[in-house]
Amino acid sequence: MTVTITQTTTETDIARTGTRTMVEIACGTGWVAVCPYDRLIPGRGVAALIDGEQVAIFRDRTGALYALANRDPFSGAYVMSRGIVGRRGEVPTVASPMYKQVFDLRTGECLDESTAPDGTPAVLRTWPVRAHG
C-alpha cells in the first residue's frame, strides 16, 4: 500500500502541534493515516495519493470529514480538493473549481447533472474517513 500526502507530515509536526488525532481513510483491508486532523483547515480540501489514486479530503466547518475522488468528471482535471465547500439545504457540498458542478460530500453524487460529458454517471467515488487517536 502506497500513501503519498501532498503536504508532508512528520513526527516533528505532530509533536509541535501537540496532536495525535489523525485523519484516516479506509483503504483495502484497513485504515491509512493521512495527516493530523488539525492540519485540515475547515472549509478547505487537500489531496492525497492513496494506492495510486488521488483522493480529495475535506473538513467542513462543523468538523465533519469527507473523502472523494479528486478527478472532476466534467473537466477530467484533478482539482476537486480545490473546490468550494458549502451546503445546499442540509446537504454538505463541494463545487468543482472548473465548471462549478456541485457534488454531495457524503455520496459523491452530482446535484446539478446526472451524467458526465462522456456519458458515465456524474458521481465521485467516496471513501470512509475518520479522525482517530
Side-chain angles (χ1 to χ4, degrees):
M1 175 178 303
T2 302
V3 177
T4 305
I5 304 165
T6 57
Q7 185 177 16
T8 305
T9 301
T10 65
E11 285 298 318
T12 303
D13 293 329
I14 294 169
R16 179 178 44 84
T17 63
T19 184
R20 292 258 179 225
T21 302
M22 297 294 289
V23 173
E24 298 179 339
I25 294 177
C27 182
T29 60
W31 291 91
V32 177
V34 177
C35 67
Y37 177 80
D38 66 356
R39 294 285 297 267
L40 294 179
I41 299 169
R44 304 284 303 270
V46 298
L49 188 62
I50 310 258
D51 279 343
E53 188 161 0
Q54 289 191 31
V55 179
I57 304 162
F58 298 93
R59 175 180 166 193
D60 73 12
R61 295 188 193 287
T62 69
L65 296 169
Y66 305 94
L68 306 164
N70 197 36
R71 184 181 177 276
D72 175 357
F74 292 91
S75 69
Y78 291 86
V79 295
M80 294 306 297
S81 63
R82 301 293 178 231
I84 302 165
V85 175
R87 298 188 83 74
R88 279 203 182 162
E90 295 302 312
V91 177
T93 62
V94 63
S96 169
M98 298 300 288
Y99 300 126
K100 308 305 184 249
Q101 282 86 1
V102 175
F103 295 84
D104 184 329
L105 281 168
R106 302 166 304 177
T107 65
E109 178 184 358
C110 182
L111 302 177
D112 297 326
E113 300 180 47
S114 59
T115 57
D118 64 2
T120 61
V123 178
L124 300 172
R125 178 180 173 193
T126 61
W127 285 262
V129 61
R130 70 182 183 185
H132 184 74

